[in-house]
Structures are given as structure tokens and as C-alpha cells.
């Protein structure tokens, strides 16, 4: 079997496709490793976890950060994913003139209800290869937080899974701790 020689799209070509109407502005796609990938539908547990986590980040880190929700980040010339949460350096223009790049990103968080395999696989590799130092995947179904650190071209060298009773400090803010359970749906006592 011969492998196909696939022509990859650049970020500029991807943007041009949207500008001229090849991609509809409401179409849920992102550019990953030069390929246009459909994004999963947003579930209610997914949206609630994003909202909870944004409130935690804003309350604990305040003006030290700017939190972007499901907005693009430009990793390189071939990847412009739209992570659920990107915690970035505050920008006076609120990134009106460009999407954040790896040097401006403190933390990326993906919330997984139906996308766990993608978030732990291709996205983790893309983020590692781009030098994203702190990448978390919040697994709402299994009530776990996957923490990826020490990026390399071969992937992350450090991977830890925290249960909902665990806590975590962002790499850039080691004095601020987050309980995993605070990002998840509260458990109901029977």
C-alpha cells in the first residue's frame, strides 16, 4: 500500500477559504496539522465545565491573565486549533490584531466529553510540538484531569492523571491551586 502525498493547508490559506466563502463562518472546524477537522458538537456537561473553569481562573488569577473560550490560537503555519480554554498573557487589544501564539500562552485546557481520544492524542502532540508548557484535559465523564507538561517534538515527557479529589497549580502560577472537583459537576449525595 502506498501512502498518499497529502497537500497541507497553511493558516493563511485556511483564513482565505473562510474569507471567500468556501468555509461557512458558522461551520465548526479547526485547522490541525494542515488539515481541516470537524469539531464535535458542544454538549451541556462540556459547556458547564468550561463555564465553571473560567470562573475559577478569573476569580483566582484576575488581571494576571486573559481567558479565551473556544477561540483560535496559532501554534504554527499549519495549526490553528480552537481550544476550549486558553489562558494567555493579557493584551491591550484583546488579541484583535492576531491570535495568541505559544509564547503568549500560559495554559491550554480542553474539556472532553466525546473528544477524549483526540484531546489526548493528536491535540496533545500538536501542543507539545509547539512548546505549550502546560496542557490539561478535563475528562468530565471519568471525573479526571490529565496534566501534560515538559513538551518535546515527540510529545509531552510528563503526563499525570488526577482524580476529582486532586488539586493542581498552573505552571506559571505555582502559588494558586485548583481542586479538580471544582471544575466538574458537583456530586449529588443520596
Amino acid at each position: 500500500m502506498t501512502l498518499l502525498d497529502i497537500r497541507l493547508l497553511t493558516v493563511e490559506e485556511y483564513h482565505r477559504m473562510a474569507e471567500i466563502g468556501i468555509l461557512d463562518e458558522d461551520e465548526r472546524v479547526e485547522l490541525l496539522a494542515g488539515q481541516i477537522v470537524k469539531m464535535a458538537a458542544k454538549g451541556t456537561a462540556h459547556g458547564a465545565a468550561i463555564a465553571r473553569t473560567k470562573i475559577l481562573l478569573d476569580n483566582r488569577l484576575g488581571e494576571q491573565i486573559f481567558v479565551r473560550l473556544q477561540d483560535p490560537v496559532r501554534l504554527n503555519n499549519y495549526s490553528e486549533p480552537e481550544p476550549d480554554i486558553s489562558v494567555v498573557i493579557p493584551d491591550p487589544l484583546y488579541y484583535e490584531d492576531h491570535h495568541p501564539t505559544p509564547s503568549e500562552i500560559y495554559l491550554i485546557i480542553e474539556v472532553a466529553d466525546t473528544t477524549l481520544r483526540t484531546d489526548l492524542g493528536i491535540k496533545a502532540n500538536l501542543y507539545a510540538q509547539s512548546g505549550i508548557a502546560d496542557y490539561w484535559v478535563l475528562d468530565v465523564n471519568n471525573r479526571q484531569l490529565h496534566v501534560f507538561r515538559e513538551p518535546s517534538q515527540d510529545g509531552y515527557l510528563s503526563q499525570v492523571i488526577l482524580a476529582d479529589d486532586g488539586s493542581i497549580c498552573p505552571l506559571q502560577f505555582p502559588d494558586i491551586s485548583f481542586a479538580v472537583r471544582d471544575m466538574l459537576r458537583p456530586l449529588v449525595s443520596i
Side-chain angles (χ1 to χ4, degrees), residues 42-170:
K42 301 174 187 177
T44 55
H46 180 268
I50 291 171
R52 279 187 205 94
T53 304
K54 180 186 183 333
I55 290 168
L56 286 171
L57 290 162
D58 285 338
N59 287 344
R60 303 245 173 91
L61 295 170
E63 294 180 9
Q64 299 177 82
I65 61 163
F66 178 53
V67 177
R68 293 168 47 100
L69 302 181
Q70 299 173 325
D71 286 328
V73 296
R74 183 172 178 164
L75 299 180
N76 54 44
N77 288 334
Y78 295 97
S79 292
E80 193 173 85
E82 297 184 20
D84 292 316
I85 299 171
S86 51
V87 180
V88 298
I89 293 171
D91 179 78
L93 296 177
Y94 294 88
Y95 294 95
E96 183 177 337
D97 60 344
H98 72 286
H99 294 307
T101 59
S103 65
E104 298 167 305
I105 298 170
Y106 291 131
L107 168 65
I108 287 185
I109 304 171
E110 294 284 5
V111 175
D113 54 355
T114 62
T115 59
L116 186 64
R117 193 167 142 188
T118 301
D119 294 337
L120 298 178
I122 188 169
K123 284 196 173 181
N125 285 331
L126 288 173
Y127 292 137
Q129 291 166 357
S130 298
I132 301 300
D134 209 4
Y135 171 51
W136 301 354
V137 177
L138 182 63
D139 178 353
V140 297
N141 297 319
N142 296 306
R143 299 186 63 83
Q144 296 176 329
L145 182 68
H146 298 254
V147 179
F148 295 85
R149 292 181 170 162
E150 299 178 36
S152 78
Q153 288 306 301
D154 297 323
Y156 284 96
L157 302 178
S158 172
Q159 300 176 31
V160 175
I161 301 173
L162 301 173
D164 69 351
D165 62 349
S167 63
I168 183 75
C169 300

Side-chain angles (χ1 to χ4, degrees), residues 7-11 13-14 17 31 33-36 77-79:
R7 187 219 188 260
L8 303 177
L9 296 172
T10 66
V11 171
E13 292 166 332
Y14 176 66
M17 290 172 77
L31 185 67
Q35 298 180 46
I36 299 172
N77 288 334
Y78 295 97
S79 292

